[in-house]
Amino acid sequence: MPTPGSTPRPSLRIKPVEAQIAEGGADAEGHSLRRTMGLFQLTAFGIGAVVGTGIFVSLSDIVPVAGPASILSFLLAAATCVLSGLSFAELAGVIPVAGSSYAYAYATFGEAVAFLMGGWLLLEYGVSLSAVAVGWGQYLNELTGTLFGVALPDALSNPPGDGGLVNVPAALLIMLVALLLVRGVRESARATTAMVVVKLVVLALFVGLALTAFDSGNLLPFAPHGLAGIGAGASLAFFSYVGFDAISTAGEEVHNPRRNLPLAIVGSIGVCTVLYCAVTLAAIGAMPPERIGDSPAVLSTIAESVSGSATGAAVIAFGAVVAIASVVLAVFYGQTRILMSMSRDGLIPHVFERVSPTTGTPVANTWIVGGLFAVIAAVVPLKVVLDLTTIGSLAAMALVNLCVLALRRQRPDLPRNFTVPFGPVLPLLGFAFCLYLSVGFGGSTWILFLAFSVLCLLGYVAYGRRHSRLAVATDPVEGAPIP
Ligand SMILES: NC(=[NH2+])NCCC[C@H](N)C(=O)O
């Protein structure tokens, strides 16, 4: 394992914690970020990044495999997140910079692994951008259908493989958000808080409405497919939790990050878990599990069948459309910033870090990300993008758990105001849980994931290794710093 000051092979070059923190004092535009966020805002920011399409669309996948025990699937996914979230908190406390998982990997396992982590983050952010946009389109269709009686035909609202040709609304949304980001529009802290309130209110309304038709008979048999079903359900439920690590990217903008980051991570996972379990219980109570598998905008469908009118369905759909659009903005923004850090490190081409002098934003970066993931949203089935996002996020989180252990061994000297308790036990458990959930995916997801990972490593060998800023700063032959 490389240590600072040693003369490692290029792929094992690490970027020391101190260097990352020193650079972290200035944002991509060259200004220092101001520390403006407190614990409450940070927790709201976390909930805002986490609650998106997942809970609105994925019950129709989870309930058929786990039955009423889907609630346990959500708890299992949450446990995985809390364990890994503690690891994020420890690392974010030591390395409070915007690069998050990518930065942690670069400080511990070296450049090749950091590059691979960057690739997995492309699944966690970029591909999830497509997934979230597709879910948004389904609820938009539901909304226009119930309000005006017009919905897009399947051919224009679904990709090939899901009974259509191209998903127009999802791709349009991504391009529209690209336009906003290029012009420098970012969700303000106040808008984030407002969106969080909209989401919580809509989901609470759903729970209240669905509970009026609660039939406890729907809860039996509780676990029709046993433990295996619960595990498979947890793999699918995990998507709904993806995003809490965004909290660790705000390390440069938070008061007292060493205290507030861990609290906000655990707090936002906790709030989401309560919410998701309540929604699941209410949904199953209101509609027999065997019928939940049929509908795309499943929460609206249940609301309509319970209330017997379209109004309930329209309110839920409206809330989903507003709230999910804000997630697209946040995830898209996150993806462009991750690519900027990799580009500043020289691992990917400089076009990704170039900031336009007129708009002050990374214009080319934004259009490349927008174009690529709009196409994916347009033509790839939802299930495929959901599963790829999840397996990529699980891989990234599994590795973050190992980063904690590596950094403790390599840099015991660094100040840690928050340390995951019980020594290596919880990070190791976090790693094992991530592994367990990822095993739940089928062969085709694994093949896509492994092929993508190999491509990333090839990309590192072909480009990153030679253009790395660390390579430029060291003697190419000896790998030693040039005096
Ligand atoms: N990197 C991200 N924040 N991706 C968005 C995650 C999706 C979110 N958990 C949802 O349920 O829709």
Side-chain angles (χ1 to χ4, degrees), residues 35-46:
R35 295 194 178 275
T36 52
M37 282 205 239
L39 178 60
F40 179 78
Q41 267 183 336
L42 192 59
T43 309
F45 173 68

Side-chain angles (χ1 to χ4, degrees), residues 370-459:
L372 176 64
F373 294 105
V375 169
I376 291 182
V379 300
V380 180
L382 179 60
K383 180 88 178 102
V384 176
V385 277
L386 283 176
D387 289 355
L388 267 181
T389 300
T390 309
I391 199 167
S393 312
L394 283 167
M397 272 171 212
L399 191 57
V400 164
N401 284 301
L402 298 185
C403 287
V404 169
L405 303 179
L407 195 67
R408 282 182 190 172
R409 274 191 43 193
Q410 294 168 7
R411 301 297 309 272
D413 56 306
L414 291 171
R416 286 174 176 75
N417 287 7
F418 175 76
T419 310
V420 185
F422 308 118
V425 177
L426 299 185
L428 283 176
L429 266 181
F431 176 79
F433 272 52
C434 289
L435 211 62
Y436 173 69
L437 292 195
S438 59
V439 169
F441 286 101
S444 56
T445 306
W446 267 99
I447 290 172
L448 275 176
F449 170 71
L450 291 177
F452 174 78
S453 302
V454 169
L455 265 182
C456 287
L457 288 175
L458 290 178

Side-chain angles (χ1 to χ4, degrees), residues 46-58 121 123-129 131-133 237-246 276 324 327-328 330-332 334-335 338 386 389 393:
I47 298 172
V50 167
V51 181
T53 286
I55 190 62
F56 287 94
V57 301
S58 62
L121 291 178
L123 300 179
E124 180 180 335
Y125 283 76
V127 175
S128 83
L129 179 63
V132 173
F238 189 83
F239 178 86
S240 299
Y241 288 96
V242 171
F244 66 82
D245 51 314
Y276 292 168
I324 297 173
V327 176
V328 170
V331 175
F332 196 152
Q335 179 64 78
I338 292 166
L386 283 176
T389 300
S393 312

